[in-house]
Amino acid sequence: MAFDANQRRRALRRFMAGAGLNVAQWETLSGLGDGTLRKFLDDPTGAKTLTDKTYAKLAAGAARKTGRPVGVAELQGESPDESSAGSGGVPIGDIAGNVAPAFDAPARPMIGHMLQDVPLYGTAMGGDGNGEFEMNGTVIDHVARPPGIMGRGDVFALNVVGDSMWPWRKPNSLIYVERDRAPSVNDHVVVEFRPIAGSSVRQTVVKLLVGISLKTLKLAQYRPAKEFDVDRKTVFRVYRVLEWDELMKGGR
């Protein structure tokens, strides 16, 4: 397969989303310094590349995080069948039974022991039906409060609309969103747009934030994989989505 830097960036972001990794964590696990991975992912020119040695370090770091072998081809988006197998053709379903918690891992709280007090806001489909929705402002339920957000009043929950962010989140799955912390590049975000002329509806999308400039935000989705720019003048607010490791371990 011919080298395609943008394809490799998308593949790395997909892997991070699926593994619950952020850039800083992956660089640390891989023994990388000087922001090597972040510079590659955020390169506005598209000219930067990663060496084979760097990919090997990333694969080793990814294996430490996931508890399974991770090949360079998987990280480059060149695996023959990423949906059914990992490196070496091992079916994902066969790996799950061989994974055990680390000996010093804290006990995971039972969901029945968590407070059920995080507001879940209702949503309504909108736009072209491809992941656009409206946060209607109505609290329709309260959901579990994981330990990572104990005592926080700035967090609310939503159900994902559409399948544009699969496999990071499947349709109707739960996400936790924070109001007070500004998102950074490579965070998943909820973007709320200003109403168009003659309407009071603020269309909203859940995407990956891959770039920020004075005039635009660059967003990405996984299904179908694509990146696109939005004019910041059209944006009402951007919220940061909390990842599961932050929710369960107390933040990053």
Side-chain angles (χ1 to χ4, degrees):
M1 180 179 293
F3 172 78
D4 183 334
N6 287 327
Q7 172 192 302
R8 291 188 176 184
R9 288 186 184 89
R10 289 193 295 269
L12 289 168
R13 290 182 182 119
R14 281 198 302 271
F15 186 89
M16 283 193 296
L21 273 169
N22 60 51
V23 175
Q25 289 172 334
W26 202 355
E27 288 180 335
T28 299
L29 287 168
S30 305
L32 296 176
D34 302 322
T36 302
L37 178 57
R38 185 174 296 282
K39 289 174 184 176
F40 176 66
L41 293 174
D42 296 350
D43 176 25
T45 68
K48 290 186 181 297
T49 61
L50 294 177
T51 65
D52 290 343
K53 183 177 180 180
T54 298
Y55 267 109
K57 289 183 176 181
L58 288 170
R64 293 187 186 99
K65 172 68 175 181
T66 61
R68 67 172 178 86
V70 176
V72 169
E74 179 180 355
L75 301 183
Q76 293 177 340
E78 297 175 4
S79 295
D81 185 1
E82 292 177 21
S83 64
S84 62
S87 176
V90 181
I92 290 174
D94 291 346
I95 295 170
N98 297 326
V99 177
F103 73 93
D104 58 349
R108 184 171 297 177
M110 298 292 289
I111 197 164
H113 297 163
M114 297 180 190
L115 295 173
Q116 302 285 315
D117 65 348
V118 178
L120 173 64
Y121 284 96
T123 58
M125 286 294 293
D128 59 8
N130 187 28
E132 293 185 1
F133 62 96
E134 176 194 2
M135 287 194 293
N136 61 26
T138 302
V139 176
I140 60 172
D141 201 353
H142 288 83
V143 296
R145 178 177 292 276
I149 56 171
M150 289 298 294
R152 290 186 57 178
D154 68 314
V155 177
F156 62 95
L158 294 171
N159 289 118
V160 174
V161 175
D163 63 356
S164 68
M165 297 306 287
W166 172 265
W168 173 71
R169 294 290 189 272
K170 64 183 179 181
N172 207 42
S173 62
L174 194 68
I175 58 173
Y176 288 78
V177 184
E178 58 183 345
R179 292 189 177 93
D180 290 351
R181 181 160 36 155
S184 302
V185 169
N186 293 317
D187 283 335
H188 290 94
V189 292
V190 174
V191 182
E192 193 173 13
F193 293 95
R194 299 184 186 278
I196 61 174
S199 171
S200 61
V201 174
R202 291 199 293 261
Q203 296 291 347
T204 307
V205 294
V206 180
K207 301 298 176 191
L208 177 69
L209 180 62
V210 296
I212 304 173
S213 72
L214 289 175
K215 294 184 177 181
T216 63
L217 299 178
K218 183 179 287 293
L219 305 177
Q221 64 180 45
Y222 302 128
R223 186 173 180 177
K226 67 176 182 179
E227 297 181 357
F228 56 95
D229 293 329
V230 298
D231 186 340
R232 294 186 69 165
K233 292 179 180 178
T234 67
V235 175
F236 177 71
R237 187 162 183 181
V238 183
Y239 304 91
R240 183 178 179 275
V241 178
L242 288 150
E243 301 292 349
W244 288 117
D245 61 335
E246 298 177 86
L247 292 164
M248 299 307 295
K249 297 178 184 178
R252 69 185 188 194

